Amino acid sequence: MRIVQILKVLAFGDAIGNHVIALQRAFRENRIKTKIYAEVIDARLPEGTAEDYGLYEEMDEDVILYHLSTGTELNRKVTEHKCKIIINYHNITPPEYFAGYNRQGEINCITGLEDAAYLSDKAACCIADSRYNKEDLIHMGYRCDITVVPILIAYDDYKKMPDQKIMEQYKDEWTNIVFVGRIVPNKAQHDVINAFHHYKKYYNSKSRLILVGTYGGMEKYQAQLEEYTKKMGVEDVIYPGHIRFDEILAFYQCADLFLCQSEHEGFGVPLIEAMIFGVPVVAYDSSAVGETLGGAGILLDKKDPLETAAVMNRVITDETLRRKLIENGYERLKDFDNQATVRKFIDYIRMNQNNCHIQD
């Protein structure tokens, strides 16, 4: 058996890219032949990490592990191969979140969902990052075997040295509220700002909000956020933009609270990152957010900025509650142990190498 991972874009430092590369390393450590093929390969990745998809020559022993996360011609092109195809589904953002902001992003999501439905009877079996993603596949008509295995987390990366300039600037007597995620409407940074506004106004004037994430392709939404903060009179909202990984690590190190108001997450790696750094989480209970937290944070069933601000203040000031949330986070991380996760991947692929089939 040779496991061939295929995806549209192998990016440097993003969750799916890290997952694919970690799988490659794990397969090799378990003496399984493997390769990665992508149509776009980030130039920052070490040479030889992956090959251009156009160079892929199918072999009889191949099992394709196809990473599905967006709309691309590759979604249908991959079905031309004769070998077994296992889909690793990372979810596709509902296109309405891109409407009016990024037409190409909206189209990619529309075609991605159409492609995902098209693949429903083409996949031998599927691996979903979360139960939420599994239900998404079932809703789209998948009747093949679907197992849930979480995304691999590059834990060693978080042990690297954080940027010292940011540490010196923000590790002070102020309270740092942090959210990490691409600036995009489904992440609902506008609701994070609203909750922060009420927290700062009624509980803690010496607080700042740091919204870590790139806004590339979402300049219109970014401009709306900036206008929103001005209109509300909210000060101390910081947009670091597209920054280096060591700078992201520094902001986690400086964080007193991770506030998530996202409305759509297929998994939510930053939630895991907050746990790694011992940052308590307050989050809106949507999509896969509660599933990923697994009881390790405080979930809110509605977006009431006053209520959210009160909960934020309680978590920050109640040392017993704060310590309990951090301990719960460390305990939850055990469920995402990489060795156990890799074992699930390998066992599932081996088990289904020959007997994956479409159910009636």
Side-chain angles (χ1 to χ4, degrees):
M1 176 178 68
R2 182 177 72 153
I3 300 176
V4 178
Q5 296 193 80
I6 297 177
L7 68 165
K8 171 66 177 180
V9 179
L10 184 63
F12 177 84
D14 80 332
I16 295 176
N18 287 341
H19 170 72
V20 170
I21 293 169
L23 278 176
Q24 180 189 57
R25 181 167 56 249
F27 292 150
R28 288 175 174 170
E29 289 173 353
N30 284 270
R31 298 182 180 181
I32 298 173
K33 290 182 285 186
T34 186
K35 273 198 173 186
I36 300 171
Y37 290 93
E39 289 191 328
V40 180
I41 302 170
D42 197 313
R44 292 171 293 178
L45 291 169
E47 187 175 352
T49 301
E51 292 188 21
D52 188 287
Y53 173 72
L55 300 176
Y56 174 45
E57 295 182 0
E58 185 176 346
M59 299 171 61
D60 290 340
E61 63 176 331
D62 286 353
V63 173
I64 290 176
L65 183 60
Y66 184 65
H67 296 275
L68 175 60
S69 63
T70 189
T72 165
E73 292 181 359
L74 187 58
N75 289 339
R76 302 198 182 217
K77 191 185 302 181
V78 74
T79 64
E80 297 173 4
H81 297 293
K82 298 179 180 178
C83 58
K84 191 177 299 296
I85 299 173
I86 298 175
I87 289 177
N88 193 178
Y89 182 57
H90 304 290
N91 207 281
I92 296 168
T93 305
E96 54 265 29
Y97 285 109
F98 289 87
Y101 295 101
N102 185 318
R103 178 56 180 162
Q104 188 55 56
E106 182 183 10
I107 290 171
N108 287 345
C109 293
I110 291 171
T111 57
L113 291 172
E114 292 172 347
D115 293 344
Y118 170 80
L119 290 167
S120 63
D121 61 354
K122 311 294 189 300
C125 47
C126 298
I127 300 172
D129 296 337
S130 60
R131 291 192 304 275
Y132 177 81
N133 286 356
K134 177 177 179 177
E135 291 300 318
D136 206 23
L137 290 174
I138 294 171
H139 178 72
M140 288 188 287
Y142 283 72
R143 297 294 178 265
C144 60
D145 186 70
I146 305 171
T147 193
V148 175
V149 185
I151 200 166
L152 281 168
I153 308 296
Y155 288 107
D156 288 344
D157 289 349
Y158 301 105
K159 299 175 184 177
K160 296 177 181 177
M161 183 69 67
D163 181 84
Q164 292 307 299
K165 289 183 179 179
I166 288 176
M167 294 286 287
E168 292 170 5
Q169 183 176 358
Y170 293 103
K171 196 83 170 173
D172 54 17
E173 73 277 7
W174 281 52
T175 297
N176 294 315
I177 310 300
V178 171
F179 176 69
V180 177
R182 183 184 175 197
I183 305 293
V184 65
N186 65 286
K187 305 287 185 183
Q189 280 90 351
H190 53 282
D191 288 322
V192 176
I193 292 170
N194 195 10
F196 170 73
H197 166 62
H198 287 79
Y199 171 75
K200 187 176 181 69
K201 181 178 180 179
Y202 295 110
Y203 295 101
N204 185 358
S205 61
K206 293 183 67 174
S207 59
R208 59 172 73 95
L209 173 63
I210 305 168
L211 296 172
V212 181
T214 179
Y215 53 84
M218 280 290 158
E219 288 79 7
K220 184 176 180 180
Y221 181 56
Q222 171 70 18
Q224 287 182 357
L225 292 178
E226 293 176 1
E227 181 63 28
Y228 184 52
T229 57
K230 289 179 182 178
K231 184 177 180 180
M232 294 180 67
V234 188
E235 297 181 346
D236 303 304
V237 178
I238 299 161
Y239 304 93
H242 186 68
I243 58 177
R244 301 189 313 269
F245 187 67
D246 64 333
E247 294 174 313
I248 295 175
L249 298 182
F251 282 119
Y252 273 120
Q253 290 277 14
C254 295
D256 295 291
L257 180 81
F258 188 92
L259 177 61
C260 175
Q261 296 283 277
S262 181
E263 295 179 357
H264 185 268
E265 298 288 345
F267 182 78
V269 169
L271 298 168
I272 303 297
E273 293 173 339
M275 296 181 211
I276 291 171
F277 285 94
V279 181
V281 176
V282 174
Y284 174 56
D285 189 8
S286 74
S287 51
V289 171
E291 179 184 347
T292 299
L293 281 176
I298 292 184
L299 287 174
L300 304 174
D301 61 4
K302 59 183 177 180
K303 289 189 179 184
D304 182 324
L306 275 172
E307 179 181 325
T308 303
V311 173
M312 292 165 62
N313 183 62
R314 172 76 186 279
V315 172
I316 290 168
T317 59
D318 187 331
E319 187 56 37
T320 300
L321 173 62
R322 181 181 181 82
R323 186 167 56 250
K324 180 62 176 175
L325 289 173
I326 293 171
E327 290 173 355
N328 288 351
Y330 291 146
E331 187 66 25
R332 175 60 171 154
L333 289 175
K334 295 177 183 178
D335 295 326
F336 300 106
D337 174 74
N338 274 352
Q339 289 188 351
T341 300
V342 165
R343 188 78 264 153
K344 290 178 182 177
F345 261 94
I346 292 175
D347 288 349
Y348 185 74
I349 292 172
R350 280 178 169 161
M351 177 182 69
N352 291 294
Q353 179 185 2
N354 297 314
N355 62 0
C356 257
H357 62 280
I358 306 298
Q359 297 178 349
D360 295 331

